Structures are given as structure tokens and as C-alpha cells.
């Protein structure tokens, strides 16, 4: 069974120094806790040093968040960079016919199936980290927010 969110990085792993670069656009449809207004778009580049797999990229999207002060829905642009490194064990097949290089991860949630990167799992992880801790509507903490004011009892 072929999965659309898998990125085959085996060529880079078996040939250190070879770069794989792909443009990505996804809506993360399987993510119920993220409300994307526009697709998550960007690129990923991966290269192996022989001992490490380096994965870098840049992404942007627009999400709907809840204002930390008044609870109103707000749209916010989110931009983030990916800079990950994963251990590689084994000898790349370009150097030896006896072995092959493979990614070894110690992530609590799997990011690889063999030498295939689970792109949406990585993007979800980095997007969640990039979200603001306390998103605020246009009134911020100090402005006269009508929604927040209506919640405060008069007296």
C-alpha cells in the first residue's frame, strides 16, 4: 500500500552528499485539532552526511485560533523553519554491497517508516510548536475588547 505522506529518502541515505528537495502542499486533513484556512506550503531538503540525515525546510499557512483573552476565533499567519537531524546507522550501499544505511530515531511518535519520512507527522509536530502560546485578537491584552468586556460582570 502506497501512502501519499511518505517521502522516500533512501537515495540520499545510500549516497551521502546527495540532496533530495521537494515542494510540499498539504491540508493536514487527518488533524482534527488544527483548523487550517490555507494549505500548509513549503519545501523540504534532505541530505545525509553518512552518520546523520539532515532535514531542513520552510513552511507557511494560515490557521484559526482562539483568542487567549476573549475566546473569539481569529485567523493568524504561521511561518516556521524545519531543522531536524536523525541518526543514521549502517554503511551506505554506495560504499558496500554488504550493508545499507538506515535512519534510527528515538522520537516518542514515529516519523519514519524504514527510510521513508512521514511528512505530515513532521509538519504537524513543527506547526504545533510554531503556534503562538497566547494568540490575541486585534484588541490584545490592553485594548477595550467588546467580547471580553461583555464577560466581565458589572458591579
Amino acid at each position: 500500500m502506497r501512502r501519499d505522506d511518505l517521502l522516500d529518502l533512501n537515495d540520499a541515505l545510500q549516497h551521502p552528499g546527495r540532496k533530495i528537495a521537494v515542494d510540499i502542499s498539504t491540508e493536514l486533513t487527518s488533524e482534527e485539532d488544527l483548523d487550517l484556512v490555507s494549505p500548509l506550503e513549503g519545501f523540504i531538503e534532505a541530505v545525509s552526511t553518512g552518520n546523520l540525515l539532515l532535514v531542513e525546510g520552510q513552511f507557511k499557512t494560515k490557521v484559526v485560533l482562539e483568542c487567549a483573552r476573549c475566546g473569539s476565533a481569529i485567523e493568524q499567519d504561521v511561518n516556521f523553519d524545519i531543522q531536524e537531524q536523525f541518526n543514521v546507522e549502517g554503511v551506505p550501499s554506495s560504499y558496500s554491497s554488504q550493508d545499507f544505511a538506515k535512519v534510527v530515531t528515538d522520537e516518542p511518535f514515529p516519523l519514519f517508516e524504514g527510510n521513508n519520512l512521514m511528512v505530515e507527522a513532521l509538519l504537524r509536530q513543527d506547526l504545533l510548536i510554531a503556534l503562538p502560546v497566547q494568540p490575541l485578537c486585534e484588541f490584545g491584552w490592553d485594548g477595550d475588547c467588546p467580547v471580553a468586556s461583555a464577560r466581565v460582570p458589572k458591579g
Side-chain angles (χ1 to χ4, degrees), residues 96-111:
S96 167
S97 61
Q98 309 298 314
D99 200 6
F100 66 96
K102 56 187 169 284
V103 176
V104 181
T105 64
D106 58 357
E107 303 286 328
F109 298 98
L111 293 176

Side-chain angles (χ1 to χ4, degrees), residues 55-107:
V55 178
E56 296 181 343
Q58 291 181 332
F59 286 87
K60 65 179 180 177
T61 189
K62 184 176 278 201
V63 297
V64 174
L65 300 170
E66 187 176 289
C67 175
R69 179 179 177 200
C70 67
S72 296
I74 54 173
E75 291 185 8
Q76 191 156 17
D77 291 323
V78 178
N79 300 304
F80 62 94
D81 293 335
I82 293 176
Q83 292 186 334
E84 303 282 346
Q85 59 185 23
F86 303 97
N87 290 325
V88 175
E89 69 179 22
V91 178
S93 63
S94 63
Y95 297 152
S96 167
S97 61
Q98 309 298 314
D99 200 6
F100 66 96
K102 56 187 169 284
V103 176
V104 181
T105 64
D106 58 357
E107 303 286 328

Side-chain angles (χ1 to χ4, degrees), residues 1 3 46 64 88 106 109 125 128 132 134 145:
M1 180 173 114
R3 287 184 32 198
V64 174
V88 175
D106 58 357
F109 298 98
Q125 169 183 290
L128 288 173
Q134 293 185 330
C145 177

Side-chain angles (χ1 to χ4, degrees), residues 124-138:
R124 178 185 186 280
Q125 169 183 290
D126 284 12
L127 174 58
L128 288 173
I129 291 170
L131 292 177
V133 176
Q134 293 185 330
L136 296 171
C137 65
E138 63 184 296

